[in-house]
Amino acid sequence: MSREPRGPNEKLGTVLALAGISNAGLARRVNDLGAQRGLTLRYDKTSVARWVSKGMVPQGAAPHLIAAAIAGKLGRPVPLHEIGLADADPAPEVGLAFPRDVGQAVRSATELYRLDVAGRRGGGGIWQSLAGSFSVSAYATPASRWLITPADGSVAREAHQAARETENGGSEGGPVQRVGHSDVVKLREAADDARRWDSKYGGGDWRSSMVPECLRVDAAPLLLGSYSDDVGRSLFGATAELTRLAGWMAFDTGQQEAAQRYYIQALRLARAAADVPLGGYVLASMSLQATYRGFADEGVDLAQAALERNRGLATARTMSFFRLVEARAHAKAGDAPACGAALKAAEGWLERARTGDPDPSWLDFYSQERFAADAAECYRDLRMPRQVQRFTEQALSRPTEEFVRSHGLRLVVSAVAELESGNLDAACAAGTRAVEVAGRISSARTTEYVRDLLHRLEPYGDEPRVVELRERARPLLVAAYG
């Protein structure tokens, strides 16, 4: 259904001509993007003709899918106002800005926190309306600005400044708070708890959903308060950690649009904190998302940006993780030599790491087993099953209840390697254990890994072991995909 006509939408017609997309081509792209988000859309060339010649505005997610479809052809983000659909939703630009000014950065982040939580309470969220609007090119400006200037000048915020911005709508009201180190400690404790929840229960667990609320209720008033430069740096760092976590949890649950916006704001806050390793960690998270979404070249660029600014600053363990993320992107791109070189470098950095190194708390998940798990995924992408098996054995050598989701993902990778080596029994056995783990957590990524495994098993669909595995996985897939 579309809204009332407004007259010809010349902007949309012009951009379609610029992109070289026909009416039928746009309809097909929009329907395909919708299908990726679980939406059943049946637009055709007549629908597009109405949008252009009569100015009809499709409802729901369609305006954002139109923008995403055109953006994919042009290779750059396409805001709704450029195609004459700006009045479809007020939220398409939220979280995408990377302001140069610290005060504007605070407003950009707090607006994201406010709109996300308001959308969740409204039942649909802004992310459903932004479905399909992920654009890897939106990372270009944040990454380049961070590389050029990874730290702001003074971030001190005086009481009169905070009060003035509060009067202008900078917060949800109430007195201006004087922020101290004890306030920041509480945010860091919340981030530590959230990391444990995410690893054990998945990004979609109710515990994880508390992170956006924490950002809105606890972090935003502090950002909008008054503080010294020293306290402010610490505050921005703690909030950047929580914001990155919100992005990672959104990524794990398939909300790519939300994840992208949280990552951009986390990088901006890390710059205000003058925390270069944390900024690198956010870039590494962006790289993993880009690679996962099929943009391997951009994934390499983002991982290398994390590395470049951290030379001589980050600990050996941190540098190892950044090189590992780079290896993941090279593998997805099919570049075996570059992947091998990055893995070798990652392993070398990890061997140099020592107990007592000042590693950041957000890296406490990274171990030899995690290195082996990601190396196995690299070799899976390169279709080298013997290497996958070797590294998967290392990755599964010490299963732990602390990292349940990671254990489930490793089991699926192990199953794929067994299958490609011709070991159907072993593949089904590992797959069965993976399904059991996936059923205990809330993680769209883990479910997607299981679905990919079942797809690979289709040639053996009549085998009793495969039939049994498929039946075991059915409740999981029905709950996720209907």
Side-chain angles (χ1 to χ4, degrees):
M1 180 176 289
S2 300
R3 299 175 192 171
E4 290 299 316
R6 307 170 301 169
N9 186 343
E10 296 179 356
K11 289 184 176 181
L12 178 58
T14 299
V15 176
L16 285 177
L18 177 66
I21 304 177
S22 67
N23 287 359
L26 178 63
R28 184 174 60 255
R29 289 166 184 261
V30 170
N31 291 340
D32 289 345
L33 286 173
Q36 293 172 20
R37 303 297 301 181
L39 303 173
T40 301
L41 303 176
R42 296 186 175 87
Y43 294 118
D44 56 23
K45 62 181 181 181
T46 303
S47 306
V48 179
R50 292 194 186 103
W51 302 340
V52 176
S53 63
K54 297 184 178 180
M56 298 183 77
V57 181
Q59 294 182 345
H64 305 282
L65 297 174
I66 293 168
I70 299 172
K73 189 69 182 295
L74 292 177
R76 62 171 175 80
V78 175
L80 291 185
H81 66 77
E82 185 179 350
I83 55 176
L85 298 174
D87 61 347
D89 194 310
E93 306 302 324
V94 63
L96 292 177
F98 193 91
R100 290 188 172 90
D101 177 74
V102 176
Q104 291 178 1
V106 167
R107 289 191 289 276
S108 180
T110 53
E111 179 190 24
L112 174 62
Y113 307 154
R114 178 179 61 81
L115 286 177
D116 183 17
V117 173
R120 290 168 189 258
R121 290 176 176 172
I126 60 174
W127 312 122
Q128 184 173 352
S129 68
L130 293 176
S133 64
F134 172 86
S135 174
V136 73
S137 59
Y139 283 148
T141 295
S144 63
R145 287 187 181 175
W146 185 83
L147 280 169
I148 294 168
T149 310
D152 287 301
S154 175
V155 296
R157 186 176 167 94
E158 300 300 330
H160 64 84
Q161 176 189 1
R164 183 174 64 251
E165 294 194 2
T166 297
E167 292 173 0
N168 293 332
S171 77
E172 296 186 358
V176 173
Q177 181 174 349
R178 183 65 183 177
V179 184
H181 283 294
S182 60
D183 299 301
V184 179
V185 168
K186 294 177 182 178
L187 291 184
R188 293 199 182 281
E189 290 175 348
D192 290 340
D193 287 342
R195 277 195 300 274
R196 288 191 290 271
W197 295 337
D198 173 63
S199 294
K200 191 169 185 178
Y201 301 108
D205 185 76
W206 67 268
R207 301 168 184 83
S208 300
S209 69
M210 294 169 63
V211 175
E213 185 73 20
C214 177
L215 286 167
R216 186 188 72 84
V217 174
D218 299 319
L222 298 178
L223 291 174
L224 293 163
S226 65
Y227 34 82
S228 66
D229 181 64
D230 179 52
V231 171
R233 299 285 187 195
S234 184
L235 171 62
F236 281 117
T239 308
E241 283 190 51
L242 274 170
T243 305
R244 192 213 68 87
L245 273 166
W248 177 256
M249 292 167 180
F251 167 63
D252 190 49
T253 54
Q255 298 179 80
Q256 304 301 331
E257 301 78 23
Q260 179 168 50
R261 287 157 171 77
Y262 273 113
Y263 285 158
I264 290 172
Q265 298 313 302
L267 185 63
R268 184 60 189 87
L269 293 168
R271 188 174 101 163
D275 191 334
V276 177
L278 178 57
Y281 186 39
V282 178
L283 285 165
S285 300
M286 291 176 170
S287 173
L288 287 170
Q289 184 191 30
T291 300
Y292 179 81
R293 295 284 292 176
F295 299 98
D297 287 342
E298 289 83 353
V300 171
D301 292 340
L302 289 163
Q304 291 181 345
L307 285 161
E308 186 60 34
R309 270 295 180 182
N310 274 283
R311 299 184 191 283
L313 291 176
T315 64
R317 191 179 305 276
T318 306
M319 292 295 285
S320 173
F321 180 69
F322 293 164
R323 290 309 301 264
L324 183 62
V325 171
E326 180 191 4
R328 290 288 300 271
H330 284 307
K332 186 64 75 172
D335 191 338
C339 175
L343 282 175
K344 183 176 180 180
E347 190 170 27
W349 279 111
L350 192 56
E351 289 172 350
R352 282 178 246 176
R354 297 289 180 269
T355 301
D357 285 351
D359 292 321
S361 60
W362 41 258
L363 199 65
D364 58 6
F365 68 90
Y366 186 50
S367 62
Q368 186 64 46
E369 288 76 25
R370 173 58 190 264
F371 167 81
D374 280 47
E377 294 212 37
C378 287
Y379 288 116
R380 177 204 60 190
D381 292 338
L382 293 171
R383 305 188 68 81
M384 301 171 67
R386 291 183 62 184
Q387 290 284 59
V388 176
Q389 288 176 309
R390 179 168 73 89
F391 280 103
T392 300
E393 287 175 3
Q394 296 179 32
L396 293 172
S397 62
R398 293 196 309 175
T400 173
E401 282 297 307
E402 187 177 358
F403 301 108
V404 177
R405 179 184 53 212
S406 181
H407 185 62
L409 294 174
R410 295 170 189 180
L411 286 169
V412 178
V413 173
S414 173
V416 171
E418 296 289 0
L419 179 63
E420 292 187 348
S421 298
N423 303 322
L424 185 61
D425 284 343
C428 290
T432 298
R433 297 200 303 275
V435 168
E436 190 276 328
V437 172
R440 292 191 282 130
I441 61 176
S442 181
S443 168
R445 277 192 306 138
T446 306
T447 302
E448 191 167 324
Y449 272 50
V450 170
R451 186 169 68 164
D452 176 68
L453 171 62
L454 294 176
H455 176 72
R456 293 170 185 262
L457 285 167
E458 285 180 358
Y460 311 93
D462 294 333
E463 291 284 340
R465 295 154 294 181
V466 176
V467 172
E468 181 183 358
L469 175 58
R470 191 165 55 237
E471 287 303 309
R472 286 177 178 270
R474 185 183 302 278
L476 178 71
L477 299 180
V478 168
Y481 304 110

